[in-house]
Amino acid sequence: RNGNNPLFVVDGVPLAGNDVTAGGPDGGLGTSSPRNPLNFLNPNDIESMDILKDASATAIYGARGANGVVLITTKSGKGLGKTLSYDASVSVAAPANNYDLLNREQYLQGVEEFGGDTQVLTFQNADTDWQDEIFRTAISNKHDIAYGDSYETGNYRASIGYEKQNGIVENASLERFNARLNWNQRLFNDKLNLNTSANVSRVNDSFAPITNNAGFQGDLLGAAIIAPPTIDPNANDTLSTGYLKPNRLLEYNQDLAETNRALINFSADYDITDELNFKINAGIDYSTSTRNTATSRELIIDTRGITGNGRASSVDISNNNQLFEALLNYNAKVGEGNLDLLGGYSYQSFLYLGTTLSGFGYNTDDLDQMVDQTIQAGNTVRGAINGDYQQFGYNPENGTFFTNQFGDAP
């Protein structure tokens, strides 16, 4: 697992802890963080969350539980009867407060006091608060429908949900589709207990150009604070004085991600005798994600070498987490005491694959086309690779890719 995060266990399946959505690569404005790996879960499907820490966590999950364990249990149909529910909500969000920035007159007065040339800054008759250009009143909506039933020998609950959450910063949003099924069945006079839990989700993310290490020019938030108020946001120009024009930064930057995830768990336990129980537990957590970013050549970012070129990238990652457990438990009274013996086998595998494609210098200002060209170039290189060790590159003289085979590993 990464960092100091706890181990999350959803319906008996310990999650790997890897990033499910890729972090934003450096497109000239610095890198950005990935989304929360738990955002595939619908909060309305969660029944309970329990926290294990210290010895109780490590006793069950070993070193993986050193930072604590969060047990997440989703809702079942137990005790419901035939129940159909629909929940809908609409929310509105806006910035609570803005920074108190200099207006046009205050800014020009300050420039003059420090010996600056105000003539350079007054060619546009504007008085702009750039915070108004990047922040918005965001309206979000959420819809959930669920049906459950509890009968003599079992229960089930099925749900589907949709959520569109818009951020208060322009271009920032999250859209989630998810479906879940929990089913429990008892057989052979309740000696055999079968449980199935399945969750599938699709999350579409749109990221604003907010990064962790943008440099002196700043990202979107930094640019909104330091850009001069004397510049007209509607003028068809860019800043060439070391500033980034925030609304142009929104217009000439695109950062989109799509993440698909399936979490499926099956367990069966059988009471061999009143004292002896055998249980198997199997689960899979599989996800794929693609994050595409593009920054137009129209955006002036001198320090990162983008001016007149543009940059684009495409990042693909996949996670495959598989779990299998077999447990034999003996619990009986011995005299006035109790004897509890547990033996078992546990296997969990983690497979993480990723590819990052980056391009520089494009003959188009179309952000979607820039991403498509990057992916096509990557596919061309992939098609030429045949072996364990490769050197590959691009020959600008004839517009072809080359590959050199180094030979297979001994």
Side-chain angles (χ1 to χ4, degrees):
R1 295 182 299 107
N2 297 328
N4 295 320
N5 292 328
L7 174 66
F8 291 95
V9 180
V10 180
D11 288 335
V13 180
L15 304 185
N18 296 326
D19 293 330
V20 177
T21 302
D26 190 351
L29 296 168
T31 58
S32 58
S33 302
R35 291 288 200 221
N36 188 323
L38 292 178
N39 66 1
F40 75 101
L41 288 173
N42 184 346
N44 270 6
D45 286 335
I46 296 177
E47 176 74 27
S48 64
M49 297 180 66
D50 299 298
I51 298 175
L52 304 179
K53 58 181 181 179
D54 303 328
S56 60
T58 56
I60 302 173
Y61 296 99
R64 292 179 297 170
N67 295 326
V69 179
V70 179
L71 303 176
I72 300 175
T73 304
T74 58
K75 293 178 181 178
S76 68
K78 185 177 181 180
L80 286 180
K82 289 182 172 62
T83 303
L84 176 66
S85 64
Y86 171 71
D87 297 302
S89 64
V90 176
S91 60
V92 179
N97 295 290
N98 286 350
Y99 286 106
D100 185 13
L101 303 179
L102 299 178
N103 61 26
R104 174 187 175 87
E105 296 303 322
Q106 293 169 331
Y107 181 78
L108 291 176
Q109 181 181 354
V111 170
E112 186 175 8
E113 289 179 357
F114 285 95
D117 185 2
T118 58
Q119 296 299 318
V120 177
L121 300 169
T122 57
F123 66 96
Q124 295 174 355
N125 187 25
D127 188 0
T128 305
D129 185 345
W130 290 104
Q131 297 173 102
D132 295 335
E133 301 298 319
I134 69 167
F135 293 128
R136 64 183 176 185
T137 298
I139 301 176
S140 303
N141 63 89
K142 192 174 186 296
H143 305 270
D144 296 293
I145 185 169
Y147 180 78
D149 188 14
S150 180
Y151 49 95
E152 184 178 355
T153 59
N155 62 79
Y156 64 88
R157 181 182 184 272
S159 66
I160 57 175
Y162 170 79
E163 180 177 7
K164 181 61 181 291
Q165 184 174 8
N166 292 308
I168 61 173
V169 178
E170 295 281 355
N171 291 7
S173 66
L174 179 149
E175 184 180 40
R176 178 176 59 221
F177 306 85
N178 71 280
R180 169 169 286 278
L181 172 65
N182 284 359
W183 173 69
N184 171 261
Q185 180 67 51
R186 300 184 302 277
L187 302 169
F188 307 123
N189 296 322
D190 294 345
K191 285 189 174 183
L192 177 62
N193 189 21
L194 304 177
N195 286 280
T196 297
S197 174
N199 184 92
V200 293
S201 66
R202 167 69 175 267
V203 179
N204 299 323
D205 286 304
S206 177
F207 300 84
I210 299 173
T211 62
N212 303 324
N213 48 356
F216 83 96
Q217 286 184 312
D219 57 5
L220 181 65
L221 297 179
I225 293 175
I226 67 175
T230 56
I231 304 299
D232 185 356
N234 298 316
N236 187 22
D237 66 344
T238 54
L239 299 180
S240 58
T241 57
Y243 300 105
L244 290 174
K245 199 169 183 178
N247 59 328
R248 293 290 181 259
L249 188 54
L250 288 167
E251 180 182 355
Y252 294 140
N253 180 272
Q254 177 178 281
D255 190 352
L256 304 174
E258 299 176 351
T259 304
N260 299 303
R261 191 169 188 177
L263 178 64
I264 302 172
N265 174 249
F266 172 79
S267 67
D269 65 85
Y270 182 74
D271 291 328
I272 302 173
T273 67
D274 291 340
E275 295 83 15
L276 188 62
N277 175 270
F278 177 71
K279 179 179 181 179
I280 61 171
N281 182 36
I284 183 171
D285 178 15
Y286 180 73
S287 65
T288 61
S289 180
T290 298
R291 183 168 180 174
N292 296 323
T293 63
T295 304
S296 171
R297 60 184 178 179
E298 295 295 327
L299 189 63
I300 298 177
I301 308 180
D302 298 319
T303 59
R304 302 281 178 164
I306 285 186
T307 304
N309 290 285
R311 284 186 182 178
S313 64
S314 179
V315 182
D316 292 312
I317 61 175
S318 66
N319 286 277
N320 191 348
N321 169 19
Q322 299 181 8
L323 171 72
F324 177 78
E325 296 175 327
L327 303 172
L328 188 63
N329 180 239
Y330 180 80
N331 190 319
K333 289 186 177 181
V334 179
E336 295 184 0
N338 189 70
L339 177 63
D340 193 346
L341 300 176
L342 177 66
Y345 170 81
S346 179
Y347 169 83
Q348 189 169 15
S349 66
F350 306 94
L351 178 62
Y352 180 89
L353 301 175
T355 302
T356 299
L357 305 173
S358 297
F360 177 84
Y362 291 85
N363 60 0
T364 178
D365 299 327
D366 188 314
L367 300 178
D368 290 324
Q369 190 173 348
M370 290 168 62
V371 171
D372 290 341
Q373 291 179 356
T374 304
I375 295 174
Q376 291 171 6
N379 291 335
T380 301
V381 173
R382 285 192 187 101
I385 294 178
N386 181 21
D388 292 339
Y389 292 90
Q390 291 285 336
Q391 179 188 39
F392 55 87
Y394 176 74
N395 185 348
E397 295 182 0
N398 55 21
T400 60
F401 289 93
F402 65 85
T403 61
N404 295 327
Q405 176 76 40
F406 291 161
D408 294 336

